[in-house]
Amino acid sequence: MNIDPDCIFCKVAAGDIPSAKILEDEAALAFMDIGPVAPGHVLLIPRPHWSTVDQMPPDALAATMRHLPALVGAVRSATGCEGVNVLQNNGRLAGQVVDHVHFHVIPRSPGGAFTFNWPAGEYPEGRMEQLADAIRGCL
Ligand code: AMP
Ligand code: ZN
């Protein structure tokens, strides 16, 4: 299993750093975020170390994500929130601070401090198809 001895979430996974665990199995664990953007903010991580999601084998990702339905439901029930965001950041520019793949499960309630901007744009003629071709070509 990949482990980075300097990684804070590898240490959480190993139990070397305490955490408020919500669930765990051989593949993944979920624990409370110590810097919550909303009360009830939970992190779901694969147990092995990968920095970004595109590095993960699909099976390892599936074994992590299989917990998401129950986790989102539990966060919703426990907090009484109206909505839930699942966020996953890759790279500094995207807001990633801890370089071990993690999924934020964030309860949303009216008046909550956490918001984000969604600046929907539009493509010039042909550009969307061009980018779709480029992305398909890189699969
Ligand atoms: P990101 O910006 O996506 O890399 O998010 C990293 C998250 O990890 C932040 O929300 C931090 O509050 C959280 N965090 C950092 N260290 C710990 C820790 N020891 N236990 C729980 N959450 C942590
Ligand atoms: Zn790690």
Side-chain angles (χ1 to χ4, degrees), residues 79-92:
T79 64
C81 65
E82 283 189 15
V84 177
N85 285 114
V86 177
L87 295 179
Q88 194 270 321
N89 303 326
N90 297 283
R92 293 285 172 271

Side-chain angles (χ1 to χ4, degrees), residues 2 20 25 35 45 57 59 85 89 104 111 118:
N2 311 335
D25 64 11
I45 70 169
D59 285 354
N85 285 114
N89 303 326
H104 296 265
W118 194 272

Side-chain angles (χ1 to χ4, degrees), residues 70-125:
L71 196 53
V72 170
V75 166
R76 196 193 280 282
S77 299
T79 64
C81 65
E82 283 189 15
V84 177
N85 285 114
V86 177
L87 295 179
Q88 194 270 321
N89 303 326
N90 297 283
R92 293 285 172 271
L93 190 69
Q96 185 175 17
V97 173
V98 177
D99 290 334
H100 181 128
V101 170
H102 52 280
F103 294 84
H104 296 265
V105 177
I106 303 171
R108 300 293 299 274
S109 300
F114 174 70
T115 58
F116 54 81
N117 187 22
W118 194 272
E122 53 186 59
Y123 290 112
E125 183 71 29

Side-chain angles (χ1 to χ4, degrees), residues 8-9 12 17-18 31-36 41 43 89 95-98 102 104:
I8 196 154
F9 286 176
V12 168
I17 289 182
F31 52 97
M32 300 298 280
D33 191 306
I34 50 163
H41 180 172
L43 299 173
N89 303 326
Q96 185 175 17
V97 173
V98 177
H102 52 280
H104 296 265

